[in-house]
Amino acid sequence: MSTSAPLHISGKAIELRGISRVWDGKPAVDELSISVPAGSFTVLLGPSGCGKSTTLRMIAGLEEADGGRIEIGGRDVTRLPSAERDLAMVFQSYALFPHLTVAENIIFGLKVRRTPQAERQDRLEKVAELLGLSALLHRKPAQLSGGQQQRVALGRAIIAERPVCLMDEPLSNLDAKLRHEMRLEIRALQRQLGFTMIYVTHDQVEAITMADQVVLLNGGKVEQAAPPRELYTRPATPFVARFIGGPPMNVFAGAALPAVEAACPGCLLGLRPEALVPDADGPLTTTVTGVEYLGADLLIDCSLNGAPLVVRVHGQREIEVGQELRLAFAIDDLHVFAGETGPRRDDLKETLGPLMRS
Amino acid sequence: MTSHRSVRFRRDWIHGWLLLLPAMVFLFAFTHIPAITTIINSFYSTPRGRREAKFLGLTNYERLLDDAVFWKVLGNNLWFALGTIPMSVALAIVMALWVNDKMAGRGFLRMAFFTPTVLPLIAVANIWLFFYTPGFGLIDQLTSSLFGWSSVNWLGDPATALNAVIVVTVWKEAGFFMIFYLAALQAIPVTLTEAARIEGASRWTIFWRITFPLMMPTTLFVSINAVINSFRLVDHIFILTDGGPDNASSLLLFYIYETAFRFWETGYGATLTVVLLLLLSLMAIGQFFLFDRRVHYK
Ligand SMILES: Nc1ncnc2c1ncn2[C@@H]1O[C@H](COP(=O)(O)OP(=O)(O)OP(=O)(O)O)[C@@H](O)[C@H]1O
Ligand SMILES: [Mg+2]
């Protein structure tokens, strides 16, 4: 019997081809194209209002796409109702049915699709055990803590073994500690079961720690789609550079350094706070404008010919506001962008690096 | 310490009663005392001229058991309740679901459905009186031109009079109940329906498994009101049928009115009233017990 085998789901690839959604003449999602490999964990990341939820809801079929194609497992589902897209979804508010017990909530979909009673029971036991819900099956959602409700919502999503699971900020109602635990748990669950996950968040830590692929959205368009490490080490545009990392990368106009501006007019330079090192012989001369103690680390705000820079240094150090601070950096850590909207110009790194003196 | 607290307690207690007093005076003067007087009167004969009311014991109640009109009217009232309650509640739900959907002109539809409720019942009855007029009323004109039926005296025929009154009542009440269902529907988070849709539930399943159960408190409230209304509303009978023909459309309260204020049999009228009150309270209690296990309160 197939039901006695351990839960395993084979994920399906998702392909968004130029999908759009317009609200009152303003595009919330603008000809968006994303490739999500089968069985991968893809995070849609971006600032508030950039169209993450709208994109997810279009994939789910809760929102009609105004243009473009959505394919799941090679099948065009753009005009299909949610029920026929063979996917599961976890809502930010969990959307548990308040009048049904935990067990009834979890098997709701199986019941609707007339799965035989014995199989329903079998799967329920397995899912409940996997999520540690076995003792709570007869409770109503109102009698559960936030974390437990979250697990029930997860259970409802995975019991039908759908190849695709969508989540819209599922952890935003939990406290920091629980959020950390659930993050690991969801990631492990996805690895173990093998379904394709699209996960929406505006929290870059969630994105970096969980994703195989992060899609960073801005104003309804893709800024960059890449593995988390690449997003950090090779941001494609100044927007990505400023969005990822805490504190984010220093991106400043080349105009702060006349020699750079002459060699490459309009270029932007990027250096991460941790790539800048105080060094008495360093090429960059700055003035300290502020100091912030972060326990183990020290954040120094300084000004390079008017361009603000943040430097992160380890350990304690006597630094005074107003003093001069010379900074050094490795050419490898330099990011060069051709302008505000990109693109990256790695080829200019070697030329511009030595010109950066003040 | 203890004495201090007990003084505090007594002061709170006095304040509490003082605040309640005005409402209680009115409640007793206009509700409880008349109710108790009615119960007492139901055991007395009707005073006439010089003749004082005489204690009769259960005689009035025995008379009631033998009163063919009472039984007929009670039967009418049950039929009236059965005809109006499920129908108006079902219509209210359908209309509420309909005007809750996103669509053009839903503000107009909401208003149209609610209008019958705003109109005074007397005005409503007058409109329907015209619809029902034999020969040239709206309904007869329609049935004769569409199906070639001969004219029917809807309100004058014992076979159709009560049902004609039922139609008017349903038309009047459904819009009112719709408002409560509309409020209930809007209190249900959209994500619940969306989650159910993703799980593959059809609109029908979503209604029966999610929406309807979550509206149960409203259904309880509305149906208790509907039951009470079915015994309480009589104004349209005055206009439409005056209880006739041959008591065919008379209801319990209308019969009480006739007995007490047309035939001036106040003693027997009081007896009938007591029976009506008993019936109503039994039904309200029964409904609470019947529904209670199936109602999910938030
Ligand atoms: N139903 C709607 N009607 C009109 N505009 C909408 C609607 N839903 C979303 N929008 C607009 O579309 C844009 C994208 O919204 P969306 O909910 O997708 O953002 P988001 O990236 O999920 O943001 P958040 O992180 O705050 O959830 C926003 O500007 C929003 O105002
Ligand atoms: Mg959102």
Side-chain angles (χ1 to χ4, degrees), chain B residues 127-144 149-154:
Chain B
I127 298 170
W128 279 87
L129 204 56
F130 163 68
F131 288 173
Y132 282 139
T133 313
F136 59 87
L138 184 72
I139 295 174
D140 262 9
Q141 297 225 7
L142 276 180
T143 53
S144 70
W149 292 2
S150 56
S151 88
V152 180
N153 189 353
W154 298 100

Side-chain angles (χ1 to χ4, degrees), chain A residues 36-250:
Chain A
V36 178
S40 76
F41 196 120
T42 293
V43 170
L44 299 184
L45 178 68
S48 193
C50 69
K52 307 180 294 288
S53 298
T54 309
T55 306
L56 199 72
R57 291 170 58 82
M58 283 194 286
I59 300 172
L62 297 173
E63 210 83 71
E64 186 113 346
D66 289 325
R69 256 164 83 88
I70 301 170
E71 287 169 19
I72 298 180
R75 188 170 64 122
D76 183 359
V77 299
T78 320
R79 304 279 160 230
L80 290 185
S82 309
E84 289 169 38
R85 298 192 182 196
D86 204 14
L87 44 78
M89 182 158 173
V90 175
F91 292 81
Q92 178 175 353
S93 55
Y94 313 142
L96 300 179
F97 306 122
H99 59 298
L100 302 181
T101 62
V102 167
E104 288 167 330
N105 261 289
I106 295 178
I107 60 169
F108 182 85
L110 297 183
K111 228 168 166 178
V112 164
R113 291 171 190 223
R114 303 191 195 290
T115 311
Q117 164 84 35
E119 188 183 337
R120 263 186 344 229
Q121 205 52 40
D122 194 45
R123 289 204 200 183
L124 175 63
E125 272 162 30
K126 235 178 289 174
V127 168
E129 194 177 334
L130 188 66
L131 295 170
L133 290 170
S134 303
L136 306 173
L137 288 178
H138 298 290
R139 295 221 195 146
K140 295 271 176 74
Q143 300 164 313
L144 301 178
S145 72
Q148 290 165 338
Q149 292 183 10
Q150 171 69 63
R151 285 206 177 81
V152 178
L154 274 178
R156 190 173 64 186
I158 62 173
I159 193 165
E161 305 183 358
R162 308 268 167 72
V164 172
C165 182
L166 311 176
M167 296 195 179
D168 192 350
E169 309 210 21
L171 304 184
S172 56
N173 292 344
L174 304 180
D175 64 41
K177 181 164 170 286
L178 203 53
R179 203 181 309 176
H180 178 74
E181 282 170 20
M182 290 303 297
R183 211 154 68 200
L184 299 177
E185 213 167 294
I186 290 177
R187 182 60 176 133
L189 204 61
Q190 190 268 337
R191 284 255 164 85
Q192 183 186 345
L193 302 183
F195 53 85
T196 308
M197 168 78 95
I198 300 190
Y199 185 104
V200 163
T201 182
H202 60 249
D203 178 354
Q204 53 160 310
V205 178
E206 255 172 47
I208 301 275
T209 53
M210 296 171 94
D212 297 318
Q213 174 187 231
V214 178
V215 178
L216 185 58
L217 298 181
N218 180 28
K221 289 188 156 79
V222 178
E223 283 285 335
Q224 187 170 7
R229 189 174 294 271
E230 190 181 327
L231 216 60
Y232 181 82
T233 54
R234 290 176 46 81
T237 63
F239 178 85
V240 181
R242 290 193 184 108
F243 196 86
I244 304 289
M249 186 189 290
N250 299 299

